[in-house]
Each structure stands twice: as C-alpha cells, then as structure tokens.
Amino acid sequence: MANSELNKNMSDPRIKAFVSLDAGLTRGFTIESLQKIKIPSLIIGAGVDIGDTNTQLESGYVQELLPKSSSTYIIIPDAMHFSFIQICKSDAIDILNQEKEGEGIICKDGGSRDRSEIHREITHLIVDFLSKTFSNYKN
C-alpha cells in the first residue's frame, strides 16, 4: 500500500533557490516531482566516479529532469564525491584505513588540486549563482 505522506506537496514558499553538491540516491525522486520544481537551482557534480556515485546517474539525473530555464549544471572534473566535505587532517587516510580498510577514500580527491582549491571553486560557483539569482529579488 502506498504511503500517502510520500505523495503530498512538500513545497515551501520560503525556499527561493537551492544548490546540490554531488547528490546521491537521486533516482528516488520521481520524474514528475523534479519537473515541478520551478525555482532556480545549481547542481554541482563530481567528475571522478568512485564506483557508486556516477555523476551522470545522480546529479545528471536531477539536472536532466529540472526545467532548463531555471537550472544550472556544472561538473568539477577533478572532484570526487567526498571532495565536497571538510578538509582532512594530514594523517587521516592512514587513521581511517586502520579503522576499516578502504575508508581513507573519503580524504582523497580526483586530480592534482587539493581539496581546499576545489572548495574555493565550489564557493565561487555558489556565491556567483546566489548573487545572480537574488540580485533583483524582492520579498
């Protein structure tokens, strides 16, 4: 039996725009629900696939279904899914791998730039998007 709570309108008039950073599990959104989103959006995806967060299947899925007139899609080629989280301590990879082998991946990025440089790019993209979006905004 379908849960009626999942079908109710969840829109919030206070939300005027949104930013998504390499979202995962997006294929859980229905086509119809994504097509109804009319507010400006910035969808940023990671260009390096770590095996289960392919940007075309995740952020790309969202972007494909959002109205093109109000959405912007950007892929950061040398970012991985975890590039969007905090900067790791210098010995974090070893510590994480000691805890559980393979967990150190959350402190790795996909290219020659370090995470702080990727964060600066993300910050610039977000500030630029929000500045343009709200430059003429009036309550």
Side-chain angles (χ1 to χ4, degrees):
M1 177 177 257
N3 183 340
S4 63
E5 287 293 306
L6 296 175
N7 294 318
K8 74 179 191 176
N9 184 339
M10 304 276 293
S11 62
D12 185 331
R14 296 171 298 175
I15 299 173
K16 305 296 183 196
F18 71 94
V19 175
S20 170
L21 302 175
D22 203 46
L25 304 174
T26 61
R27 290 166 283 169
F29 293 111
T30 65
I31 292 169
E32 296 80 19
S33 68
L34 290 170
Q35 289 175 336
K36 288 180 183 177
I37 297 173
K38 304 297 184 202
I39 60 175
S41 61
L42 172 61
I43 311 299
I44 302 175
V48 178
D49 182 8
I50 60 171
D52 63 351
T53 56
N54 180 294
T55 196
Q56 297 300 27
L57 298 176
E58 300 295 351
S59 296
Y61 171 79
V62 172
Q63 175 58 28
E64 184 178 309
L65 298 169
L66 289 173
K68 301 300 179 253
S69 62
S70 60
S71 62
T72 302
Y73 182 42
I74 297 171
I75 296 176
I76 300 176
D78 59 343
M80 291 173 46
H81 182 69
F82 297 110
S83 298
F84 296 88
I85 64 173
Q86 73 275 3
I87 295 171
C88 296
K89 296 178 182 180
S90 61
D91 57 350
I93 292 174
D94 291 335
I95 293 169
L96 290 165
N97 284 335
Q98 286 172 15
E99 187 73 27
K100 183 177 178 190
E101 189 59 40
E103 290 296 305
I105 193 169
I106 68 172
C107 291
K108 294 183 180 178
D109 299 302
S112 59
R113 294 190 301 163
D114 66 20
R115 191 166 290 185
S116 62
E117 291 178 63
I118 293 171
H119 284 187
R120 278 192 289 280
E121 179 179 354
I122 294 165
T123 301
H124 173 74
L125 291 168
I126 293 170
V127 169
D128 187 53
F129 165 74
L130 294 174
S131 295
K132 288 177 182 173
T133 299
F134 294 114
S135 65
N136 295 319
Y137 180 73
K138 298 201 181 357
N139 269 339

